[in-house]
């Protein structure tokens, strides 16, 4: 191929690339600087030189490296941009002739590169280019006809990475090419690439194209039966995204899918006792052909032993994931498919019972926080059961689950007893409504397991109670459960009695005071034994046990309130001692839990009991606050802020003298900006730092430091507590707090910050009114910001909060504070939101096949927003004209047209 850049450019670039791959840091840094300099001066020449080098370089390494570098450089931010210009890449600034040449070079590399590894790098680069503007799909079609499998695979990989290449071509032509790839008899890799291309294409289709492409599902699914396990997992995983994006495509294939998949998700051999039977589906084959009814092309035992078991397990999990994903995407379809739910439930129960036999010693010694990712535990099967229960509900899941759970709990194998209990816990959330009617039976099944000989079974019993405790309390089964849980606090195994203490926390949340009081003494007595190392013959108590004991004590104190005062003198000195001495990194978590517990106990017993220790606790907190900061102690900032808030609640107005101590760091935390890193693509995110999360935004990967914004949220929540508790005494900090709150209404990185800011604004009005420091300018600025936020808000939940904040503010300062201009802006914002809600509801009415439960939840949130709009409008004028509009939007709701359909059908 003719050279497209001058020889001297090629020579210079060759030397730069050679230096970039050297190990010498100085040489490599100079080469990186040289690349940046050349790109700043003549980007088109050097980018074209890189593309040319990917064709002409002598070695595989250098051709691959030039392609990787080209891909990174093309779409990185161009140098010398002004902030207001928006994000422009080097690609955006290339002239048209350079782009045409670049496309020609890359297509030449794609069609002439002899090595698969390099060709795949070309595919990645071409995909990025094609997703921006390239439209050479027809040319790439020719590669699907070549005799070499590697070239055919790359063509389909390209269609997979950029379906836009073929979206404008004739549908029949596209389907013909894809079918040919799916039926490629020479290469599994080509069939896999064609399958992924087909999934990408169907996902990108509009409704018209999709209706013409339904037949493609048959050859796609027909790739599965003849595959050995080593490849089957990849094919199933490639199909799974289509379950989530277009579940309706699978409607005609449900029976055939079930007959194939259930043979994969269950154990194939008799491995001893299982929750169901060794061969759970006798008389069924694993045949799978499309259309259904063809001959069986899978033969058992077609793979060697050894790695075959591992491969089967991977296939088993991939098949189950496929079924669960389809279930979550379209529950109604699965409910109509007889046998589908039963198969998933049975497979999950089987998998949950497959724990290793000889790991008890390791499990007993492990810290629960570190053991959460125990590779030996069948997390996949437990999570699958949970997801199925949440998707389908109790009516569908409970019958097949409890067909086996009672016999599992009675089995001689501890692993099956453990699995049965963990299964009850796993389905707790999804089946809670129906389970209410069966709680008595569940309690009767679970309580005997607290006396099981095996510690992991007793641990599972605690887990089971932990997830059902609120329902159990409501239905008055607390006597049986307390009778089982309280003795378990003295179990010989730390992991068991620690988990029993964790289960008690759920009892304390929402429990009636009178229900807890009879059990208070034995609970506190046992928790103190867990907390105090010197109380049990000098035994060393594990750190996680002490942490859990303190946490449970805090919740018990919060639930029992003043009744807890009798135990105050036994517990508070221990907590103060922890705060004095727990200064090493091993005890940071314990110290944070002790702070939290001390604060909750202070609130529970009241200021009169707490006052004697208040100064001691405050001095310790000040000492901790002023100590050098250890970056590894990520819990301290939020727990310290929260504990100060609890002490304020306990002391009331007596806390005012300590505001100069607590407010400077609090305001600093509340004013923190979001710590954000922007990456051009996912490849730039080599390893996310701890405490960071990534989101995709406008084609970029954005990393957010969650610890910073969590601390900001905690700070705003604490400002709410201080202002509500101290009212006018908080006046010295009114201006600063208001200046932080108004912009925080648009802090989109954390909903908690916005919610707290909306609650804080009317409280600050009250503070200013009582202290005489509130000005009309403050009120006007606050109302204006609230109204602007209302107009721009897209989340109906927070929209409701904004209307409440404005209404609460008006109750403090009076309706006249809303000037005619502000009132006009409010009306316009309300009209805009009503129109938006009306449009959304009309669109939903046009798509009745959508999940109705999800629609009902969504519109329930919208109803709260409409209700708060209505209340505010009535405050302004009991006969406000927009009240009719609110009612009209409400009538467009899902529940309304649903009831009309019912009336029509009744008629």
């Amino acid at each position: 191929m003719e050279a497209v850049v001058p020889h001297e450019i090629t020579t210079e670039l060759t030397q730069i690339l050679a230096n970039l791959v050297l190990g010498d840091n100085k040489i490599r840094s100079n080469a990186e600087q040289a690349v940046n300099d050349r790109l700043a001066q003549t980007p088109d020449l050097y980018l074209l030189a890189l593309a040319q080098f990917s064709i002409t370089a002598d070695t595989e390494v250098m051709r691959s490296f030039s392609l990787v570098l080209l891909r990174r450089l093309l779409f990185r931010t161009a140098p010398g941009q002004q902030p207001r210009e928006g994000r422009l890449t080097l690609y955006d600034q290339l002239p048209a002739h350079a782009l045409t040449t670049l496309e020609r070079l890359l297509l030449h590399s794609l069609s002439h590169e002899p090595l698969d590894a390099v060709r795949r790098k070309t595919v990645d680069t071409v995909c990025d280019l094609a997703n921006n503007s390239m439209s050479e799909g027809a040319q790439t079609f020719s590669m699907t006809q070549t005799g070499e499998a590697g070239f055919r695979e790359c063509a389909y990989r390209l269609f997979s990475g950029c379906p836009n290449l073929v979206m404008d071509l004739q549908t029949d032509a596209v389907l013909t090419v894809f079918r040919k790839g799916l039926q490629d008899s020479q290469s599994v890799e080509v069939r896999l690439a064609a399958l992924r291309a087909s999934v990408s294409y169907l996902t990108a289709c509009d409704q018209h194209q999709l209706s013409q492409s339904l037949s493609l599902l048959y050859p796609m699914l027909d790739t599965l039966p003849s595959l050995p396990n080593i490849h089957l997992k990849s094919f199933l995983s490639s199909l799974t995204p289509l379950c989530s994006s277009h579940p309706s495509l699978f409607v005609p294939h449900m029976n055939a899918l079930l007959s194939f998949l259930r043979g994969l998700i269950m154990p194939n051999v008799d491995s001893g006792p299982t929750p169901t039977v060794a061969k759970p589906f006798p008389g069924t084959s694993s045949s799978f052909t499309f259309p259904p009814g063809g001959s069986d092309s899978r033969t058992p035992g077609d793979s060697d032993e050894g790695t075959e078991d591992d491969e089967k397990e991977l296939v088993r999990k991939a098949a189950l994931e496929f079924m669960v994903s389809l279930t979550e995407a379209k529950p109604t379809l699965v409910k109509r498919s007889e046998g589908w739910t039963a198969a998933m439930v049975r497979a999950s129960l089987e998998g949950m019972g497959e724990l290793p036999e000889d790991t008890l010693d390791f499990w007993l010694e492990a810290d629960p926080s570190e053991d959460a990712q125990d590779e030996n535990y069948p997390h996949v099967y437990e999570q699958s059961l949970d997801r199925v229960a949440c998707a389908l509900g109790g009516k569908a899941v409970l019958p097949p689950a409890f067909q086996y759970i009672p016999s599992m709990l009675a089995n001689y194998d501890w692993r099956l007893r453990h699995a049965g209990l963990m299964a009850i816990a796993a389905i707790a959330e999804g089946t809670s409504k129906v389970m209410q009617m069966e709680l008595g039976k569940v309690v009767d099944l679970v309580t005997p397991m607290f006396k099981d000989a095996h510690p992991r079974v007793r641990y599972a019993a605690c887990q089971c109670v932990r997830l059902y405790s609120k329902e159990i309390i409501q239905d008055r089964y607390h006597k049986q459960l307390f009778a089982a849980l309280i003795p378990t606090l003295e179990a010989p195994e730390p992991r068991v009695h620690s988990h029993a203490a964790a289960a008690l926390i759920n009892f304390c949340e929402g429990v009636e005071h009178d229900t807890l009081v009879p059990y208070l003494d034995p609970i506190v007595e046992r928790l103190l034994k867990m907390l105090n190392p010197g109380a049990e013959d000098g035994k060393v108590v594990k750190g996680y046990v002490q942490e859990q004991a303190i946490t449970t004590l805090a919740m018990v104190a919060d639930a029992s309130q003043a009744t807890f005062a009798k135990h105050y003198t036994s517990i508070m000195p221990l907590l103060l001692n922890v705060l004095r001495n727990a200064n090493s990194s091993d005890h940071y978590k314990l110290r944070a839990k002790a702070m939290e517990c001390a604060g909750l106990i202070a609130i529970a017993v009241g200021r009169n009991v707490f006052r004697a220790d208040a100064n001691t606790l405050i001095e310790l907190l000040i000492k901790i606050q002023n100590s050098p900061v250890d970056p590894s102690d990520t819990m301290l900032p939020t727990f310290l802020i929260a504990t100060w808030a609890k002490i304020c609640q306990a002391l009331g107005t007596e806390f005012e003298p300590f505001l100069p101590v607590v407010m400077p760091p609090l305001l600093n935390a509340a004013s923190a900006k979001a710590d954000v890193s922007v990456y051009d693509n996912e490849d730039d995110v080599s390893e996310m730092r701890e405490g960071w999360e990534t989101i995709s935004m406008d084609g970029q990967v954005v990393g957010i430091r969650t610890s910073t914004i969590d601390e900001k949220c905690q700070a705003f929540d604490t400002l709410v507590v201080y202002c509500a508790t101290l009212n006018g005494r908080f006046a010295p900090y009114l201006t600063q707090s208001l200046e932080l709150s108004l912009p925080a209404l648009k802090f989109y990185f954390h909903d908690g910050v916005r919610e707290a800011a909306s609650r804080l604004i009317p409280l600050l009005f009250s503070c200013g009114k009582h202290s005489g420091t509130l000005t009309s300018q403050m009120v006007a600025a606050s109302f204006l910001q609230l109204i602007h936020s209302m107009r721009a808000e897209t989340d109906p939940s927070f929209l409701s909060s904004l209307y409440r904040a404005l209404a609460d503010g008006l109750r403090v300062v009076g309706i006249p504070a809303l000037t005619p201009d502000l009132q006009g802006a409010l009306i316009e914002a309300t009209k805009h939101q009503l129109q938006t809600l009306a449009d959304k509801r009309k669109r939903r009415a046009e798509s009745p096949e959508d999940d109705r439960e999800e629609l009902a939840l969504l519109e329930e949130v919208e109803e709260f927003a409409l209700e708060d709009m209505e209340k505010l409008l009535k405050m302004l004028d009991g006969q406000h004209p927009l009240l009719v509009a609110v009612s009209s939007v409400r009538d467009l709701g899902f529940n309304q047209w649903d009831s009309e359909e019912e009336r029509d059908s009744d008629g």
Side-chain angles (χ1 to χ4, degrees):
M1 187 175 184
E2 292 184 8
V4 297
V5 294
H7 177 69
E8 59 270 19
I9 298 288
T10 305
T11 303
E12 182 184 28
L13 181 66
T14 303
Q15 185 59 54
I16 291 174
L17 293 178
N19 291 342
L20 281 173
V21 297
L22 291 176
D24 188 297
N25 288 336
K26 185 176 181 180
I27 295 175
R28 191 169 62 248
S29 296
N30 289 336
E32 290 171 356
Q33 185 59 48
V35 170
N36 292 332
D37 291 343
R38 304 306 185 273
L39 290 176
Q41 297 166 10
T42 52
D44 50 338
L45 275 179
Y46 280 88
L47 290 173
L48 290 176
L50 268 177
Q52 180 175 285
F53 195 73
S54 71
I55 298 171
T56 61
D58 295 332
T59 66
E60 172 189 352
V61 171
M62 294 310 292
R63 293 200 301 277
S64 294
F65 179 57
S66 62
L67 286 163
V68 171
L69 187 60
L70 175 63
R71 185 183 176 203
R72 292 171 67 90
L73 294 179
L74 266 175
F75 300 103
R76 81 174 187 181
T77 305
Q81 277 193 73
Q82 298 300 318
R84 294 181 182 178
E85 291 179 357
R87 182 179 178 272
L88 292 175
T89 65
L90 289 173
Y91 171 86
D92 297 319
Q93 296 184 341
L94 289 179
H97 68 86
L99 284 175
T100 302
T101 305
L102 181 62
E103 291 179 8
R104 182 163 54 86
L105 289 169
L106 288 172
L107 288 173
H108 185 277
S109 170
L110 191 65
S111 57
H112 291 81
E113 170 58 50
L115 297 178
D116 287 345
V118 180
R119 199 160 49 239
R120 286 169 183 167
K121 299 285 194 309
T122 310
V123 167
D124 293 338
T125 308
V126 173
C127 282
D128 281 352
L129 202 64
N131 281 318
N132 282 273
S133 72
M134 192 175 174
S135 57
E136 297 289 339
Q139 182 175 340
T140 313
F141 268 5
S142 63
M143 287 182 60
T144 66
Q145 315 297 323
T146 62
E148 189 174 333
F151 285 100
R152 299 198 301 276
E153 180 199 355
C154 277
Y156 288 112
R157 285 170 64 93
L158 184 55
F159 295 141
S160 173
C162 185
N164 292 336
L165 285 172
V166 295
M167 298 312 295
D168 294 333
L169 302 179
Q170 282 191 343
T171 302
D172 288 344
V174 175
L175 297 184
T176 299
V177 169
F178 283 177
R179 285 193 195 100
K180 186 170 183 179
L182 292 166
Q183 295 165 355
D184 193 298
S185 60
Q186 297 178 358
S187 172
V188 172
E189 285 74 18
V190 172
R191 296 201 298 274
L192 178 58
L195 179 66
R196 289 172 174 165
S198 301
V199 169
S200 295
Y201 174 73
L202 291 173
T203 303
C205 278
D206 59 33
Q207 200 60 41
H208 177 68
Q209 288 173 308
L210 198 61
S211 65
Q212 295 181 312
S213 307
L214 297 178
S215 62
L216 188 59
L217 257 290
Y218 285 95
M220 288 172 67
L221 294 173
D222 209 23
T223 59
L224 302 177
S226 61
L227 291 169
N229 286 327
I230 193 171
H231 297 300
L232 185 53
K233 185 262 182 188
S234 298
F235 277 70
L236 286 168
S237 299
S238 299
L239 267 172
T240 299
L242 199 59
C243 294
S244 301
S245 63
H246 291 78
S248 298
L249 292 175
F250 296 94
V251 171
H253 311 287
M254 291 299 287
N255 291 335
L257 277 168
L258 179 59
S259 69
F260 176 68
L261 292 172
R262 65 182 176 184
L264 300 177
I265 62 177
M266 300 296 291
N268 292 325
V269 296
D270 189 347
S271 56
T274 68
T276 56
V277 291
K279 186 172 174 53
F281 297 102
T284 61
S285 75
S286 57
S287 171
F288 185 70
T289 56
F290 281 83
S295 61
D296 183 5
S297 55
R298 265 181 83 85
T299 56
D302 59 348
S303 299
D304 296 330
E305 295 184 1
T307 58
E308 177 67 9
D309 287 344
D310 293 336
E311 291 169 0
K312 283 183 179 179
E313 182 62 17
L314 291 174
V315 168
R316 182 181 172 193
K317 290 177 179 176
L320 185 59
E321 176 62 28
F322 179 97
M323 296 181 73
V324 173
S325 296
L326 188 55
T327 301
E328 290 177 317
K330 202 163 185 67
T332 53
L333 170 63
V334 169
K335 288 177 181 178
R336 294 195 302 264
S337 302
E338 186 178 353
W340 189 280
T341 302
M344 290 187 297
V345 170
R346 294 171 82 172
S348 299
L349 292 174
E350 288 281 1
M352 290 175 68
E354 294 170 7
L355 278 166
E357 177 65 59
D358 56 353
T359 58
L360 179 60
D361 291 341
F362 173 81
W363 182 85
L364 288 172
E365 290 302 315
D367 186 319
S369 62
E370 298 170 0
D371 192 42
Q373 300 301 320
D374 177 12
E375 293 181 0
N376 292 319
Y377 189 78
H379 294 285
V380 168
Y381 300 105
E382 184 177 313
Q383 291 164 1
S384 295
L385 189 60
D386 174 31
R387 290 164 62 192
V388 169
C390 289
L392 299 179
K395 288 183 180 179
V397 172
L398 288 179
F402 277 90
Q403 183 179 351
Y404 304 108
I405 287 174
S407 61
M408 293 170 70
L409 297 180
N411 198 287
Y412 71 89
D413 189 335
W414 73 266
R415 293 173 295 179
L416 300 190
R417 301 196 301 275
H418 175 276
L421 289 167
M422 295 302 284
I424 295 175
I427 62 177
E429 179 185 0
T431 65
S432 58
K433 291 181 181 178
V434 179
M435 186 66 86
Q436 288 283 350
M437 298 178 286
E438 304 292 339
L439 276 178
K441 296 177 183 177
V442 174
V443 170
D444 290 341
L445 283 172
V446 171
T447 47
M449 311 309 290
F450 280 91
K451 296 180 180 179
D452 196 277
H454 202 283
R456 294 197 69 167
V457 176
R458 284 180 270 123
Y459 178 95
C462 294
Q463 176 70 2
C464 198
V465 170
R466 185 179 181 184
L467 293 179
Y468 278 97
S469 56
K470 292 181 182 178
E471 290 84 357
I472 290 168
I473 289 170
Q474 291 168 3
D475 287 88
R476 301 181 183 179
Y477 295 108
H478 53 270
K479 290 183 180 179
Q480 292 165 262
L481 270 301
F482 273 128
L485 265 180
I486 292 174
T488 310
L489 292 171
E490 296 182 295
E493 304 87 3
R495 286 202 69 172
V496 177
H497 61 238
S498 172
H499 208 52
L504 276 173
I505 290 179
N506 295 62
F507 276 87
C508 297
E509 292 179 354
V511 69
E512 292 293 332
H513 175 268
D514 293 341
T515 300
L516 181 61
V517 167
Y519 306 102
L520 190 59
D521 290 350
I523 288 174
V524 172
E525 177 188 342
R526 286 161 177 78
L527 290 174
L528 285 174
K529 285 182 181 179
M530 291 168 58
L531 178 62
N532 189 356
E536 294 189 26
D537 303 323
K539 289 183 180 178
V540 177
V541 177
K542 292 182 180 290
Y544 71 81
V545 175
Q546 290 182 304
E547 292 161 8
Q548 186 59 65
I550 287 177
T551 303
T552 306
L553 280 169
M555 295 301 105
V556 170
D558 189 44
S560 57
Q561 291 298 306
T563 311
F564 197 81
K566 62 186 291 188
H567 300 287
Y568 177 84
T569 55
S570 301
I571 297 171
M572 186 58 81
L574 292 174
L575 299 175
L576 295 175
N577 191 46
V578 169
L579 295 178
R580 287 191 191 96
N581 301 307
N583 299 314
S584 67
S585 59
D586 292 342
H587 296 115
Y588 284 161
K589 186 175 180 181
L590 181 65
R591 181 174 68 177
K593 295 292 185 180
M595 286 183 199
E596 179 184 49
C597 186
L600 285 171
I601 288 176
I603 294 173
V605 301
R607 77 180 73 178
N608 292 331
V609 175
F610 171 59
R611 191 178 284 114
D613 292 305
N615 284 332
T616 304
L617 177 58
I618 288 170
E619 288 171 5
L620 287 169
L621 293 179
I622 292 173
K623 181 180 178 182
I624 292 170
Q625 179 172 292
N626 293 334
S627 298
V629 177
D630 183 348
S632 67
D633 189 5
T634 56
M635 298 181 69
L636 180 61
T638 52
F639 273 80
L640 192 58
I641 290 171
T643 303
W644 283 124
K646 293 179 179 67
I647 293 173
C648 176
Q649 288 174 280
L651 293 178
T653 55
E654 294 177 22
F655 186 76
E656 183 188 1
F658 304 106
L659 282 177
V661 175
V662 300
M663 284 303 294
L666 183 67
L667 291 171
N668 185 55
S671 63
K673 306 295 183 185
D675 197 349
V676 175
S677 295
V678 180
Y679 305 92
D680 288 347
N681 55 63
E682 293 184 6
D683 293 338
D684 293 337
V685 191
S686 56
E687 185 176 341
M688 270 322 296
R689 290 164 282 179
E690 186 176 352
W692 287 69
E693 291 182 0
T694 59
I695 59 172
S696 295
M697 185 182 296
D698 296 331
Q700 296 175 298
V701 180
V702 180
I704 303 172
R705 188 180 180 187
T706 53
S707 55
T708 301
I709 58 176
D710 287 343
E711 188 177 338
K712 183 184 182 80
C713 182
Q714 183 71 67
F716 268 96
D717 285 335
T718 301
L719 286 172
V720 170
V721 171
Y722 288 171
C723 193
T725 304
L726 300 173
N727 206 346
R729 298 170 187 262
F730 190 69
Y733 305 97
L734 167 61
T735 303
Q736 286 174 279
S737 299
L738 195 58
E739 288 173 351
L740 289 172
S741 299
L742 296 181
L745 294 172
K746 295 185 177 181
F747 190 80
Y748 298 109
F749 293 108
H750 199 302
D751 289 339
V753 172
R754 300 204 296 158
E755 289 287 353
S758 70
R759 296 197 308 272
L760 182 57
I761 290 169
L763 290 172
L764 291 170
F765 282 8
S766 178
C767 165
K769 183 178 180 180
H770 284 87
S771 60
T773 56
L774 185 67
T775 66
S776 58
Q777 290 84 357
M778 289 180 181
V779 173
S782 300
F783 283 159
L784 184 62
Q785 184 73 350
L786 284 168
I787 292 167
H788 283 169
S789 298
M790 284 175 186
R791 182 176 180 85
E793 188 53 51
T794 57
D795 177 7
S797 176
F798 188 59
L799 182 64
S800 181
S801 301
L802 290 170
Y803 275 92
R804 282 198 303 274
L806 186 53
D808 291 343
L810 287 173
R811 290 187 185 97
V812 175
V813 299
I815 301 295
L818 195 67
T819 63
D821 287 345
L822 288 171
Q823 193 163 150
L826 171 63
I827 298 307
E828 287 304 313
T830 302
K831 287 179 179 178
H832 172 74
Q833 287 293 348
L834 286 170
Q835 185 63 53
T836 301
L837 289 172
D839 292 342
K840 286 181 180 179
R841 293 186 168 202
K842 288 175 183 176
R843 284 195 297 271
R844 289 180 202 136
E846 295 168 1
S847 303
E849 72 276 3
D850 290 343
D851 190 311
R852 297 204 163 195
E853 288 186 14
E854 186 178 338
L855 287 179
L857 290 173
L858 185 61
E859 294 200 350
E860 184 179 354
V861 175
E862 293 175 353
E863 284 298 323
F864 287 123
L866 291 170
E867 184 179 329
D868 285 308
M869 276 186 202
E870 193 173 53
K871 288 178 180 177
L872 180 57
L873 292 170
K874 286 180 177 178
M875 283 181 67
L876 301 178
D877 179 358
Q879 302 297 320
H880 199 287
L882 281 182
L883 291 172
V884 176
V886 172
S887 298
S888 299
V889 174
R890 187 174 281 135
D891 289 342
L892 293 172
F894 162 78
N895 293 326
Q896 180 68 23
W897 52 263
D898 190 39
S899 62
E900 289 175 359
E901 286 180 4
E902 290 176 1
R903 284 199 300 271
D904 292 342
S905 62
D906 290 343

